[in-house]
Amino acid sequence: MAAPRSEARMAEPLVTFETDGAIGIVTLRRPEKFNALDIPMLRALEVALDDAEAADGIRVVLLCGEGKGFCAGGDVEAWAAMSAADFQVQWVRYGHRVFDRLARLRQPTIAVLSGHALGGGLELAAACDFRVAEAQVKLGFPETSIGVVPGWSGTQRAVRRFGAQTVRRMALGGEVFLASEALALGVVDRVVEAGKGYAEAKAWGKKIAERGPLATEAAKLMIAIAEGEENAAATEALASGFIALTGDLKAGVDAFKTKQKPAFSRF
């Protein structure tokens, strides 16, 4: 009787993107594995993030997990049999690419931690701009307990965002923090009672969505540059966006089409 259920799950999307007004919702949908990530899930997440980036009118994106867990991290069964080369390229490097895609999404992002965020799950949450955690949630980097290291920016982005000593306590000392402890350490931004995480994140997202969209996106890019999350691409995106709002772009394109010399003006 287990096979039909498995086949049914295979037919369902592993990650979905939905909209609710100006709010986009990306949901991990592998609840029987506490939303542990494998290669198909990473691919589906990348597609959902592309959809969120391209969606008109979406100003904030929530990242949620279906069921009792936000994300239990990388599925050990998915990588345990890989060769060293495949583990490095297909698992670690590809995971980094997808997590970087989330971190560099143009819209502000909020991770809704309605369940535990451990290992790769915490790395995933760290790639978001904000984290709302329910009181029962636990957070940590347990990788060294099974002889591996955090591989999806748990020693890099997490250090930049949470501080080196906090990451040492989790990755080296094996500490697992409750949501209230994580709040005091700056690992999460808000803590609410069980079952209230999504509502809190959605309400927060609506307030963010009321702010100037271009200014918000530009502020996010500037913070990313200061943090070291982005540099060259973000700088060029900001400059290009500014130029596109002036008359220079239109003058240049019109001149190109008509094979004339462009008539640039100061504004």
Side-chain angles (χ1 to χ4, degrees), residues 17 19 21-24 50-59 106-107:
F17 171 66
T19 62
I23 307 295
D50 286 343
D51 290 343
E53 180 103 303
D56 290 336
I58 296 302
R59 298 187 178 180
R106 65 179 176 85
Q107 302 99 331

Side-chain angles (χ1 to χ4, degrees), residues 52-104:
E53 180 103 303
D56 290 336
I58 296 302
R59 298 187 178 180
V60 179
V61 175
L62 309 186
L63 179 62
C64 310
E66 185 181 277
K68 295 181 179 180
F70 168 70
C71 178
D75 188 342
V76 176
E77 294 179 0
W79 58 259
M82 288 183 175
S83 67
D86 286 345
F87 182 71
Q88 178 188 15
V89 177
Q90 294 183 23
W91 187 256
V92 176
R93 289 180 65 84
Y94 182 56
H96 258 278
R97 188 177 94 184
V98 177
F99 282 32
D100 288 349
R101 184 74 181 89
L102 172 60
R104 296 169 187 176

Side-chain angles (χ1 to χ4, degrees), residues 174-200:
E175 291 188 55
V176 175
F177 298 126
L178 287 171
S180 58
E181 297 172 301
L183 178 65
L185 291 166
V187 176
V188 300
D189 300 286
R190 297 187 182 183
V191 174
V192 296
E193 59 186 87
K196 300 291 181 66
Y198 179 77
E200 176 71 14

